PDB file of all heavy atoms in Angstrom:
ATOM      1  N   ALA T 186     -14.434 216.088  80.948  1.00 97.00           N
ATOM      2  CA  ALA T 186     -13.070 216.045  81.460  1.00 97.00           C
ATOM      3  C   ALA T 186     -12.166 215.405  80.420  1.00 97.00           C
ATOM      4  O   ALA T 186     -12.485 214.342  79.888  1.00 97.00           O
ATOM      5  CB  ALA T 186     -13.025 215.255  82.763  1.00 97.00           C
ATOM      6  N   THR T 187     -11.045 216.054  80.149  1.00 96.00           N
ATOM      7  CA  THR T 187     -10.083 215.498  79.199  1.00 96.00           C
ATOM      8  C   THR T 187      -8.896 214.872  79.909  1.00 96.00           C
ATOM      9  O   THR T 187      -8.120 214.152  79.294  1.00 96.00           O
ATOM     10  CB  THR T 187      -9.578 216.596  78.246  1.00 96.00           C
ATOM     11  OG1 THR T 187      -8.959 217.646  79.007  1.00 96.00           O
ATOM     12  CG2 THR T 187     -10.736 217.171  77.438  1.00 96.00           C
ATOM     13  N   ARG T 188      -8.742 215.149  81.193  1.00 95.00           N
ATOM     14  CA  ARG T 188      -7.670 214.542  81.980  1.00 95.00           C
ATOM     15  C   ARG T 188      -8.101 214.513  83.432  1.00 95.00           C
ATOM     16  O   ARG T 188      -8.590 215.516  83.966  1.00 95.00           O
ATOM     17  CB  ARG T 188      -6.376 215.340  81.848  1.00 95.00           C
ATOM     18  CG  ARG T 188      -5.175 214.680  82.517  1.00 95.00           C
ATOM     19  CD  ARG T 188      -3.940 215.568  82.380  1.00 95.00           C
ATOM     20  NE  ARG T 188      -4.026 216.716  83.257  1.00 95.00           N
ATOM     21  CZ  ARG T 188      -3.198 216.951  84.271  1.00 95.00           C
ATOM     22  NH1 ARG T 188      -2.219 216.119  84.535  1.00 95.00           N
ATOM     23  NH2 ARG T 188      -3.331 218.033  85.023  1.00 95.00           N
ATOM     24  N   THR T 189      -7.920 213.379  84.090  1.00 97.00           N
ATOM     25  CA  THR T 189      -8.269 213.216  85.499  1.00 97.00           C
ATOM     26  C   THR T 189      -7.157 212.435  86.170  1.00 97.00           C
ATOM     27  O   THR T 189      -6.874 211.301  85.788  1.00 97.00           O
ATOM     28  CB  THR T 189      -9.604 212.444  85.653  1.00 97.00           C
ATOM     29  OG1 THR T 189     -10.632 213.116  84.925  1.00 97.00           O
ATOM     30  CG2 THR T 189     -10.000 212.350  87.116  1.00 97.00           C
ATOM     31  N   GLU T 190      -6.519 213.036  87.190  1.00 96.00           N
ATOM     32  CA  GLU T 190      -5.409 212.347  87.833  1.00 96.00           C
ATOM     33  C   GLU T 190      -5.213 212.846  89.256  1.00 96.00           C
ATOM     34  O   GLU T 190      -5.660 213.933  89.632  1.00 96.00           O
ATOM     35  CB  GLU T 190      -4.118 212.537  87.038  1.00 96.00           C
ATOM     36  CG  GLU T 190      -3.611 213.960  86.993  1.00 96.00           C
ATOM     37  CD  GLU T 190      -2.316 214.076  86.192  1.00 96.00           C
ATOM     38  OE1 GLU T 190      -2.031 213.160  85.400  1.00 96.00           O
ATOM     39  OE2 GLU T 190      -1.596 215.074  86.373  1.00 96.00           O
ATOM     40  N   ILE T 191      -4.553 212.021  90.047  1.00 96.00           N
ATOM     41  CA  ILE T 191      -4.193 212.386  91.417  1.00 96.00           C
ATOM     42  C   ILE T 191      -2.787 212.980  91.392  1.00 96.00           C
ATOM     43  O   ILE T 191      -1.866 212.414  90.814  1.00 96.00           O
ATOM     44  CB  ILE T 191      -4.219 211.161  92.346  1.00 96.00           C
ATOM     45  CG1 ILE T 191      -5.621 210.531  92.367  1.00 96.00           C
ATOM     46  CG2 ILE T 191      -3.772 211.550  93.753  1.00 96.00           C
ATOM     47  CD1 ILE T 191      -6.695 211.432  92.917  1.00 96.00           C
ATOM     48  N   ASP T 192      -2.638 214.131  92.023  1.00 93.00           N
ATOM     49  CA  ASP T 192      -1.344 214.796  92.151  1.00 93.00           C
ATOM     50  C   ASP T 192      -1.079 215.007  93.639  1.00 93.00           C
ATOM     51  O   ASP T 192      -1.503 216.000  94.219  1.00 93.00           O
ATOM     52  CB  ASP T 192      -1.357 216.125  91.401  1.00 93.00           C
ATOM     53  CG  ASP T 192      -0.049 216.898  91.541  1.00 93.00           C
ATOM     54  OD1 ASP T 192       0.977 216.276  91.887  1.00 93.00           O
ATOM     55  OD2 ASP T 192      -0.060 218.129  91.322  1.00 93.00           O
ATOM     56  N   GLY T 193      -0.424 214.028  94.257  1.00 94.00           N
ATOM     57  CA  GLY T 193      -0.173 214.112  95.694  1.00 94.00           C
ATOM     58  C   GLY T 193      -1.460 214.085  96.484  1.00 94.00           C
ATOM     59  O   GLY T 193      -2.193 213.091  96.479  1.00 94.00           O
ATOM     60  N   SER T 194      -1.779 215.184  97.152  1.00 92.00           N
ATOM     61  CA  SER T 194      -2.994 215.268  97.970  1.00 92.00           C
ATOM     62  C   SER T 194      -4.134 215.954  97.234  1.00 92.00           C
ATOM     63  O   SER T 194      -5.127 216.334  97.839  1.00 92.00           O
ATOM     64  CB  SER T 194      -2.698 216.034  99.272  1.00 92.00           C
ATOM     65  OG  SER T 194      -2.299 217.367  98.975  1.00 92.00           O
ATOM     66  N   ARG T 195      -4.012 216.100  95.916  1.00 91.00           N
ATOM     67  CA  ARG T 195      -5.021 216.812  95.142  1.00 91.00           C
ATOM     68  C   ARG T 195      -5.541 215.963  93.994  1.00 91.00           C
ATOM     69  O   ARG T 195      -4.799 215.193  93.383  1.00 91.00           O
ATOM     70  CB  ARG T 195      -4.448 218.115  94.574  1.00 91.00           C
ATOM     71  CG  ARG T 195      -3.833 219.030  95.604  1.00 91.00           C
ATOM     72  CD  ARG T 195      -3.356 220.332  94.964  1.00 91.00           C
ATOM     73  NE  ARG T 195      -2.403 220.108  93.880  1.00 91.00           N
ATOM     74  CZ  ARG T 195      -1.920 221.089  93.116  1.00 91.00           C
ATOM     75  NH1 ARG T 195      -2.314 222.335  93.309  1.00 91.00           N
ATOM     76  NH2 ARG T 195      -1.051 220.808  92.149  1.00 91.00           N
ATOM     77  N   LEU T 196      -6.829 216.139  93.695  1.00 93.00           N
ATOM     78  CA  LEU T 196      -7.441 215.562  92.509  1.00 93.00           C
ATOM     79  C   LEU T 196      -7.496 216.658  91.453  1.00 93.00           C
ATOM     80  O   LEU T 196      -8.111 217.702  91.669  1.00 93.00           O
ATOM     81  CB  LEU T 196      -8.846 215.055  92.824  1.00 93.00           C
ATOM     82  CG  LEU T 196      -9.713 214.627  91.628  1.00 93.00           C
ATOM     83  CD1 LEU T 196      -9.085 213.437  90.906  1.00 93.00           C
ATOM     84  CD2 LEU T 196     -11.135 214.310  92.090  1.00 93.00           C
ATOM     85  N   MET T 197      -6.837 216.430  90.307  1.00 92.00           N
ATOM     86  CA  MET T 197      -6.763 217.422  89.245  1.00 92.00           C
ATOM     87  C   MET T 197      -7.601 216.972  88.053  1.00 92.00           C
ATOM     88  O   MET T 197      -7.497 215.817  87.613  1.00 92.00           O
ATOM     89  CB  MET T 197      -5.312 217.623  88.806  1.00 92.00           C
ATOM     90  CG  MET T 197      -4.338 217.887  89.938  1.00 92.00           C
ATOM     91  SD  MET T 197      -4.661 219.436  90.810  1.00 92.00           S
ATOM     92  CE  MET T 197      -4.262 220.625  89.518  1.00 92.00           C
ATOM     93  N   ILE T 198      -8.426 217.884  87.523  1.00 93.00           N
ATOM     94  CA  ILE T 198      -9.265 217.563  86.378  1.00 93.00           C
ATOM     95  C   ILE T 198      -9.209 218.713  85.370  1.00 93.00           C
ATOM     96  O   ILE T 198      -9.445 219.867  85.730  1.00 93.00           O
ATOM     97  CB  ILE T 198     -10.727 217.307  86.796  1.00 93.00           C
ATOM     98  CG1 ILE T 198     -10.806 216.107  87.754  1.00 93.00           C
ATOM     99  CG2 ILE T 198     -11.604 217.070  85.573  1.00 93.00           C
ATOM    100  CD1 ILE T 198     -12.209 215.805  88.246  1.00 93.00           C
ATOM    101  N   ASP T 199      -8.911 218.373  84.116  1.00 93.00           N
ATOM    102  CA  ASP T 199      -8.968 219.345  83.025  1.00 93.00           C
ATOM    103  C   ASP T 199     -10.323 219.240  82.355  1.00 93.00           C
ATOM    104  O   ASP T 199     -10.785 218.120  82.051  1.00 93.00           O
ATOM    105  CB  ASP T 199      -7.878 219.072  81.995  1.00 93.00           C
ATOM    106  CG  ASP T 199      -6.482 219.388  82.516  1.00 93.00           C
ATOM    107  OD1 ASP T 199      -6.373 219.863  83.666  1.00 93.00           O
ATOM    108  OD2 ASP T 199      -5.511 219.148  81.778  1.00 93.00           O
ATOM    109  N   VAL T 200     -10.959 220.393  82.092  1.00 94.00           N
ATOM    110  CA  VAL T 200     -12.303 220.407  81.522  1.00 94.00           C
ATOM    111  C   VAL T 200     -12.326 221.157  80.196  1.00 94.00           C
ATOM    112  O   VAL T 200     -11.805 222.276  80.092  1.00 94.00           O
ATOM    113  CB  VAL T 200     -13.308 221.056  82.498  1.00 94.00           C
ATOM    114  CG1 VAL T 200     -14.663 221.265  81.823  1.00 94.00           C
ATOM    115  CG2 VAL T 200     -13.472 220.195  83.741  1.00 94.00           C
ATOM    116  N   GLU T 201     -12.943 220.524  79.210  1.00 95.00           N
ATOM    117  CA  GLU T 201     -13.193 221.143  77.913  1.00 95.00           C
ATOM    118  C   GLU T 201     -14.684 221.469  77.837  1.00 95.00           C
ATOM    119  O   GLU T 201     -15.528 220.589  78.029  1.00 95.00           O
ATOM    120  CB  GLU T 201     -12.798 220.170  76.804  1.00 95.00           C
ATOM    121  CG  GLU T 201     -13.084 220.662  75.407  1.00 95.00           C
ATOM    122  CD  GLU T 201     -12.738 219.607  74.379  1.00 95.00           C
ATOM    123  OE1 GLU T 201     -13.353 218.502  74.413  1.00 95.00           O
ATOM    124  OE2 GLU T 201     -11.859 219.865  73.551  1.00 95.00           O
ATOM    125  N   PHE T 202     -15.009 222.727  77.549  1.00 95.00           N
ATOM    126  CA  PHE T 202     -16.398 223.151  77.495  1.00 95.00           C
ATOM    127  C   PHE T 202     -16.995 222.896  76.105  1.00 95.00           C
ATOM    128  O   PHE T 202     -16.303 222.982  75.088  1.00 95.00           O
ATOM    129  CB  PHE T 202     -16.522 224.632  77.856  1.00 95.00           C
ATOM    130  CG  PHE T 202     -16.320 224.914  79.314  1.00 95.00           C
ATOM    131  CD1 PHE T 202     -15.040 224.978  79.851  1.00 95.00           C
ATOM    132  CD2 PHE T 202     -17.405 225.090  80.160  1.00 95.00           C
ATOM    133  CE1 PHE T 202     -14.852 225.221  81.205  1.00 95.00           C
ATOM    134  CE2 PHE T 202     -17.223 225.329  81.512  1.00 95.00           C
ATOM    135  CZ  PHE T 202     -15.941 225.393  82.032  1.00 95.00           C
ATOM    136  N   ASP T 203     -18.300 222.597  76.087  1.00 95.00           N
ATOM    137  CA  ASP T 203     -19.017 222.321  74.856  1.00 95.00           C
ATOM    138  C   ASP T 203     -19.234 223.638  74.102  1.00 95.00           C
ATOM    139  O   ASP T 203     -20.065 224.460  74.487  1.00 95.00           O
ATOM    140  CB  ASP T 203     -20.357 221.663  75.190  1.00 95.00           C
ATOM    141  CG  ASP T 203     -21.161 221.303  73.946  1.00 95.00           C
ATOM    142  OD1 ASP T 203     -20.718 221.610  72.828  1.00 95.00           O
ATOM    143  OD2 ASP T 203     -22.254 220.719  74.114  1.00 95.00           O
ATOM    144  N   GLN T 204     -18.491 223.839  73.028  1.00 93.00           N
ATOM    145  CA  GLN T 204     -18.570 225.089  72.281  1.00 93.00           C
ATOM    146  C   GLN T 204     -19.845 225.216  71.459  1.00 93.00           C
ATOM    147  O   GLN T 204     -20.162 226.311  70.975  1.00 93.00           O
ATOM    148  CB  GLN T 204     -17.343 225.215  71.368  1.00 93.00           C
ATOM    149  CG  GLN T 204     -16.025 225.278  72.114  1.00 93.00           C
ATOM    150  CD  GLN T 204     -15.980 226.412  73.126  1.00 93.00           C
ATOM    151  OE1 GLN T 204     -16.183 227.580  72.769  1.00 93.00           O
ATOM    152  NE2 GLN T 204     -15.719 226.069  74.392  1.00 93.00           N
ATOM    153  N   GLY T 205     -20.606 224.131  71.332  1.00 94.00           N
ATOM    154  CA  GLY T 205     -21.882 224.197  70.637  1.00 94.00           C
ATOM    155  C   GLY T 205     -23.048 224.540  71.547  1.00 94.00           C
ATOM    156  O   GLY T 205     -24.197 224.618  71.100  1.00 94.00           O
ATOM    157  N   ASP T 206     -22.771 224.758  72.833  1.00 96.00           N
ATOM    158  CA  ASP T 206     -23.794 225.044  73.841  1.00 96.00           C
ATOM    159  C   ASP T 206     -23.590 226.476  74.338  1.00 96.00           C
ATOM    160  O   ASP T 206     -22.553 226.798  74.929  1.00 96.00           O
ATOM    161  CB  ASP T 206     -23.647 224.046  74.985  1.00 96.00           C
ATOM    162  CG  ASP T 206     -24.729 224.182  76.050  1.00 96.00           C
ATOM    163  OD1 ASP T 206     -25.146 225.326  76.348  1.00 96.00           O
ATOM    164  OD2 ASP T 206     -25.135 223.157  76.602  1.00 96.00           O
ATOM    165  N   GLU T 207     -24.573 227.337  74.105  1.00 96.00           N
ATOM    166  CA  GLU T 207     -24.442 228.753  74.483  1.00 96.00           C
ATOM    167  C   GLU T 207     -24.231 228.927  75.979  1.00 96.00           C
ATOM    168  O   GLU T 207     -23.409 229.740  76.417  1.00 96.00           O
ATOM    169  CB  GLU T 207     -25.684 229.522  74.035  1.00 96.00           C
ATOM    170  CG  GLU T 207     -25.627 231.014  74.349  1.00 96.00           C
ATOM    171  CD  GLU T 207     -26.858 231.759  73.870  1.00 96.00           C
ATOM    172  OE1 GLU T 207     -27.739 231.127  73.243  1.00 96.00           O
ATOM    173  OE2 GLU T 207     -26.949 232.977  74.124  1.00 96.00           O
ATOM    174  N   PHE T 208     -24.987 228.164  76.773  1.00 96.00           N
ATOM    175  CA  PHE T 208     -24.837 228.274  78.228  1.00 96.00           C
ATOM    176  C   PHE T 208     -23.456 227.816  78.663  1.00 96.00           C
ATOM    177  O   PHE T 208     -22.820 228.440  79.519  1.00 96.00           O
ATOM    178  CB  PHE T 208     -25.913 227.452  78.933  1.00 96.00           C
ATOM    179  CG  PHE T 208     -25.807 227.476  80.431  1.00 96.00           C
ATOM    180  CD1 PHE T 208     -26.004 228.645  81.148  1.00 96.00           C
ATOM    181  CD2 PHE T 208     -25.496 226.314  81.134  1.00 96.00           C
ATOM    182  CE1 PHE T 208     -25.893 228.668  82.536  1.00 96.00           C
ATOM    183  CE2 PHE T 208     -25.383 226.319  82.514  1.00 96.00           C
ATOM    184  CZ  PHE T 208     -25.586 227.508  83.214  1.00 96.00           C
ATOM    185  N   ALA T 209     -22.945 226.735  78.055  1.00 96.00           N
ATOM    186  CA  ALA T 209     -21.607 226.242  78.392  1.00 96.00           C
ATOM    187  C   ALA T 209     -20.552 227.299  78.089  1.00 96.00           C
ATOM    188  O   ALA T 209     -19.616 227.508  78.872  1.00 96.00           O
ATOM    189  CB  ALA T 209     -21.309 224.963  77.616  1.00 96.00           C
ATOM    190  N   ARG T 210     -20.681 227.979  76.959  1.00 94.00           N
ATOM    191  CA  ARG T 210     -19.724 229.026  76.606  1.00 94.00           C
ATOM    192  C   ARG T 210     -19.779 230.178  77.596  1.00 94.00           C
ATOM    193  O   ARG T 210     -18.753 230.791  77.930  1.00 94.00           O
ATOM    194  CB  ARG T 210     -19.988 229.538  75.188  1.00 94.00           C
ATOM    195  CG  ARG T 210     -19.746 228.507  74.092  1.00 94.00           C
ATOM    196  CD  ARG T 210     -19.608 229.178  72.725  1.00 94.00           C
ATOM    197  NE  ARG T 210     -20.743 230.027  72.403  1.00 94.00           N
ATOM    198  CZ  ARG T 210     -21.850 229.600  71.786  1.00 94.00           C
ATOM    199  NH1 ARG T 210     -21.972 228.322  71.455  1.00 94.00           N
ATOM    200  NH2 ARG T 210     -22.827 230.439  71.518  1.00 94.00           N
ATOM    201  N   GLU T 211     -20.989 230.493  78.098  1.00 96.00           N
ATOM    202  CA  GLU T 211     -21.126 231.577  79.075  1.00 96.00           C
ATOM    203  C   GLU T 211     -20.479 231.205  80.403  1.00 96.00           C
ATOM    204  O   GLU T 211     -19.798 232.017  81.031  1.00 96.00           O
ATOM    205  CB  GLU T 211     -22.602 231.903  79.276  1.00 96.00           C
ATOM    206  CG  GLU T 211     -22.875 233.001  80.303  1.00 96.00           C
ATOM    207  CD  GLU T 211     -22.380 234.373  79.872  1.00 96.00           C
ATOM    208  OE1 GLU T 211     -21.920 234.521  78.721  1.00 96.00           O
ATOM    209  OE2 GLU T 211     -22.469 235.315  80.689  1.00 96.00           O
ATOM    210  N   VAL T 212     -20.666 229.952  80.840  1.00 95.00           N
ATOM    211  CA  VAL T 212     -20.031 229.497  82.077  1.00 95.00           C
ATOM    212  C   VAL T 212     -18.514 229.519  81.915  1.00 95.00           C
ATOM    213  O   VAL T 212     -17.778 229.969  82.806  1.00 95.00           O
ATOM    214  CB  VAL T 212     -20.524 228.087  82.463  1.00 95.00           C
ATOM    215  CG1 VAL T 212     -19.746 227.559  83.670  1.00 95.00           C
ATOM    216  CG2 VAL T 212     -22.018 228.103  82.768  1.00 95.00           C
ATOM    217  N   GLU T 213     -18.028 229.058  80.776  1.00 93.00           N
ATOM    218  CA  GLU T 213     -16.587 229.078  80.522  1.00 93.00           C
ATOM    219  C   GLU T 213     -16.041 230.500  80.595  1.00 93.00           C
ATOM    220  O   GLU T 213     -14.981 230.742  81.192  1.00 93.00           O
ATOM    221  CB  GLU T 213     -16.291 228.488  79.148  1.00 93.00           C
ATOM    222  CG  GLU T 213     -14.811 228.518  78.791  1.00 93.00           C
ATOM    223  CD  GLU T 213     -14.528 228.030  77.393  1.00 93.00           C
ATOM    224  OE1 GLU T 213     -15.476 227.895  76.590  1.00 93.00           O
ATOM    225  OE2 GLU T 213     -13.343 227.790  77.092  1.00 93.00           O
ATOM    226  N   ARG T 214     -16.755 231.451  79.991  1.00 92.00           N
ATOM    227  CA  ARG T 214     -16.304 232.845  80.039  1.00 92.00           C
ATOM    228  C   ARG T 214     -16.212 233.352  81.465  1.00 92.00           C
ATOM    229  O   ARG T 214     -15.259 234.059  81.833  1.00 92.00           O
ATOM    230  CB  ARG T 214     -17.267 233.736  79.228  1.00 92.00           C
ATOM    231  CG  ARG T 214     -16.836 235.205  79.189  1.00 92.00           C
ATOM    232  CD  ARG T 214     -17.928 236.090  78.644  1.00 92.00           C
ATOM    233  NE  ARG T 214     -19.084 236.135  79.535  1.00 92.00           N
ATOM    234  CZ  ARG T 214     -19.133 236.861  80.650  1.00 92.00           C
ATOM    235  NH1 ARG T 214     -18.101 237.572  81.048  1.00 92.00           N
ATOM    236  NH2 ARG T 214     -20.224 236.859  81.397  1.00 92.00           N
ATOM    237  N   LYS T 215     -17.175 232.976  82.290  1.00 93.00           N
ATOM    238  CA  LYS T 215     -17.156 233.439  83.682  1.00 93.00           C
ATOM    239  C   LYS T 215     -15.948 232.872  84.434  1.00 93.00           C
ATOM    240  O   LYS T 215     -15.367 233.544  85.279  1.00 93.00           O
ATOM    241  CB  LYS T 215     -18.462 233.068  84.378  1.00 93.00           C
ATOM    242  CG  LYS T 215     -19.661 233.886  83.893  1.00 93.00           C
ATOM    243  CD  LYS T 215     -20.915 233.551  84.652  1.00 93.00           C
ATOM    244  CE  LYS T 215     -22.104 234.339  84.116  1.00 93.00           C
ATOM    245  NZ  LYS T 215     -21.935 235.795  84.303  1.00 93.00           N
ATOM    246  N   TYR T 216     -15.569 231.635  84.131  1.00 90.00           N
ATOM    247  CA  TYR T 216     -14.360 231.076  84.748  1.00 90.00           C
ATOM    248  C   TYR T 216     -13.115 231.811  84.256  1.00 90.00           C
ATOM    249  O   TYR T 216     -12.250 232.197  85.041  1.00 90.00           O
ATOM    250  CB  TYR T 216     -14.233 229.585  84.433  1.00 90.00           C
ATOM    251  CG  TYR T 216     -15.028 228.686  85.339  1.00 90.00           C
ATOM    252  CD1 TYR T 216     -16.024 227.857  84.836  1.00 90.00           C
ATOM    253  CD2 TYR T 216     -14.777 228.653  86.714  1.00 90.00           C
ATOM    254  CE1 TYR T 216     -16.750 227.021  85.671  1.00 90.00           C
ATOM    255  CE2 TYR T 216     -15.498 227.820  87.549  1.00 90.00           C
ATOM    256  CZ  TYR T 216     -16.486 227.005  87.025  1.00 90.00           C
ATOM    257  OH  TYR T 216     -17.202 226.178  87.857  1.00 90.00           O
ATOM    258  N   ARG T 217     -13.021 232.022  82.962  1.00 89.00           N
ATOM    259  CA  ARG T 217     -11.826 232.643  82.404  1.00 89.00           C
ATOM    260  C   ARG T 217     -11.684 234.101  82.843  1.00 89.00           C
ATOM    261  O   ARG T 217     -10.566 234.598  83.014  1.00 89.00           O
ATOM    262  CB  ARG T 217     -11.836 232.529  80.881  1.00 89.00           C
ATOM    263  CG  ARG T 217     -11.702 231.091  80.392  1.00 89.00           C
ATOM    264  CD  ARG T 217     -11.472 231.030  78.888  1.00 89.00           C
ATOM    265  NE  ARG T 217     -11.485 229.653  78.420  1.00 89.00           N
ATOM    266  CZ  ARG T 217     -10.454 228.821  78.459  1.00 89.00           C
ATOM    267  NH1 ARG T 217      -9.297 229.234  78.976  1.00 89.00           N
ATOM    268  NH2 ARG T 217     -10.553 227.585  77.999  1.00 89.00           N
ATOM    269  N   ASP T 218     -12.824 234.779  83.015  1.00 89.00           N
ATOM    270  CA  ASP T 218     -12.781 236.192  83.400  1.00 89.00           C
ATOM    271  C   ASP T 218     -12.805 236.400  84.906  1.00 89.00           C
ATOM    272  O   ASP T 218     -12.782 237.537  85.373  1.00 89.00           O
ATOM    273  CB  ASP T 218     -13.955 236.944  82.764  1.00 89.00           C
ATOM    274  CG  ASP T 218     -13.830 237.029  81.243  1.00 89.00           C
ATOM    275  OD1 ASP T 218     -12.729 236.720  80.727  1.00 89.00           O
ATOM    276  OD2 ASP T 218     -14.813 237.388  80.581  1.00 89.00           O
ATOM    277  N   GLY T 219     -12.891 235.316  85.683  1.00 87.00           N
ATOM    278  CA  GLY T 219     -12.820 235.440  87.132  1.00 87.00           C
ATOM    279  C   GLY T 219     -14.132 235.680  87.844  1.00 87.00           C
ATOM    280  O   GLY T 219     -14.143 235.977  89.040  1.00 87.00           O
TER     281      GLY T 219
END
């Protein structure tokens, strides 16, 4: 997580994926592609 904060009634977290990890890159692609 690169940012973690409360926004009203929501918990917001920004995530940076490990680009040196093949599985991490695959999970990231699945999020980006829906």
Side-chain angles (χ1 to χ4, degrees):
T187 59
R188 186 182 74 116
T189 304
E190 66 180 19
I191 300 297
D192 178 20
S194 62
R195 306 183 303 175
L196 170 63
M197 309 296 293
I198 299 179
D199 290 358
V200 171
E201 177 183 62
F202 287 80
D203 182 357
Q204 298 304 304
D206 184 323
E207 182 179 357
F208 178 66
R210 294 197 305 271
E211 179 67 6
V212 174
E213 178 184 13
R214 182 192 66 78
K215 289 183 182 296
Y216 277 119
R217 293 190 186 277
D218 293 347

